[in-house]
Amino acid sequence: MAVTETDVLAALRPIVDPDFGKSIVELGFVKGIAIEGPRVAFTIELTTPACPVKAEFQRAAEERVRALPGVAEVAVTMTANTRGRAVGPQQALLPGVRNTLAVASGKGGVGKSTTAINIALALRERGASVGLMDADVYGPSLPLLTGVRGRPDAVEKRIIPLEGYGLKLMSMGFFVGEDSPVIWRGPMVHGLISQFLKDVEWGELDYLVIDLPPGTGDAALTLTQMAPLSGAVIVTTANDLSLIDARKGLRMFEKVSVPVLGIVENMSFFVPPDLPDRRYYIFGEGGGRRVAQEIGVDFLGEVPLDPRVVEGGDKGRPILVHAPDSDAARVFRDISGKVARKLAVLAEQAPRAADASITWVAS
Ligand SMILES: Nc1ncnc2c1ncn2[C@@H]1O[C@H](COP(=O)(O)OP(=O)(O)O)[C@@H](O)[C@H]1O
Ligand SMILES: [Mg+2]
C-alpha cells in the first residue's frame, strides 16, 4: 500500500522540540511533504538556523519515515525561519532586524567584545544573517578584532556597514583613528548610538549582536533605553565575579524589560596543551554558576582561558576562525546555540507585529 501524508505526519509526531515541549508536527515545523511512489521528501523549518538539535531532528525524522512500510527513500531538508521578538515601540528603529542581543559586562577587559564577536560568528556559521554593532564608544575594538578597517560609505544619508567574516560590522573605530583617545560627553554618546541605530543600513538580519559599553553608566544605559533589545547576555570572569555588578546589570535590563538570557563566565579554566586532560581552575570553580543562581538567571557556559584567543585577537582572527576546533570555540558555539533557542522561545511568546516570512536554507 502506498504511503500517505497522514502516515508521514504520524511517524514524525513523536519528535518533540525540547524548548517548546511540543511535537514538531503540532508546531507546524513540517512542510512541503512530497510523495512519489516509495520516495518521500519534506522540509523541517526550525525557529532559528542556530538550533543545536538540528542534526538530531533530521536524523530522527529520516529514520522514522524510512521505517514506514512502502518507503524506500527519504529526503529531509532543514530550513529556518528565524523568529523575532516584539521589543516595544522602538522596534521601528531596526525594522529588518529580527533579534537584537546585547552583550554586557560589569567592567572592561573581561572578554565582552571577544564573546560578542564569537557569538556573532557562531550564529553566522549556522546560516543566520548577522550584524555586529560595537557600541562600546569608549573602547571600540571591532577593527582590531576583525582586522576590518576603513571608513563606511554613506548612500543617500544611510551608512553602509563594513563586512568581515560574513558579518555586517559597525564601530566607532571605523571613524576615529585607533590611537586617538575617544572622549565623549553624554550628549555625544547619545547622538552616536542613535545614529548607529537609525542611520545604519543594517538590512535584513536574523541577529544583531551589540557589544555594549562596560558597566551600567550613561553610555550603557543610553543604549538599553534606545535600542530595541530582545535579550542580553552578561559576561564575567572567574577572577572578578562581582555579584554587585551582576545585579546592577540585571537591574539595568529589568528597567527596560529586557530579559537577561544568562551569564557567561570567561577565562574560567586553563588546559595546558601538554596535559589535555587537565583543567586548572586558577580562580576557583563554579563562581559564575553561583552568581547566576543568586541573581536568578541561567548560566550559559564556561569559556576556557586560551592564549590563542589573544593571539588571534591581535591578528583580526577571532577564535572561531583562528582555532575553530578549540574548546573555547566549541563553548562559544554552544553558548550561541543556547542564546538562539532562548530568543526563539521568547519570540514565540511575543511575536513581532509583522513577521516577514523569509526562509533560509540552513547550511
Ligand atoms: N577566553 C579567553 N582566553 C584568553 N584571553 C582572552 C579570553 N577572552 C578574552 N581574552 C583576552 O582578554 C582581553 C580583553 O578581552 P576583550 O574581549 O577585549 O574584553 P572587553 O571587551 O570586555 O574589554 C583581550 O586581549 C582578549 O584577547
Ligand atoms: Mg571591548
Side-chain angles (χ1 to χ4, degrees), residues 83-87 91 94-99 347 350-356:
R83 305 295 198 269
R85 182 166 184 269
V87 274
Q91 188 176 321
L94 297 166
V97 177
R98 294 178 174 211
N99 292 283
R352 281 172 64 115
D355 204 0

Side-chain angles (χ1 to χ4, degrees), residues 112-114 136 139 141 211:
K112 177 173 50 61
S113 300
T114 302
D136 190 347
S141 58
D211 183 358

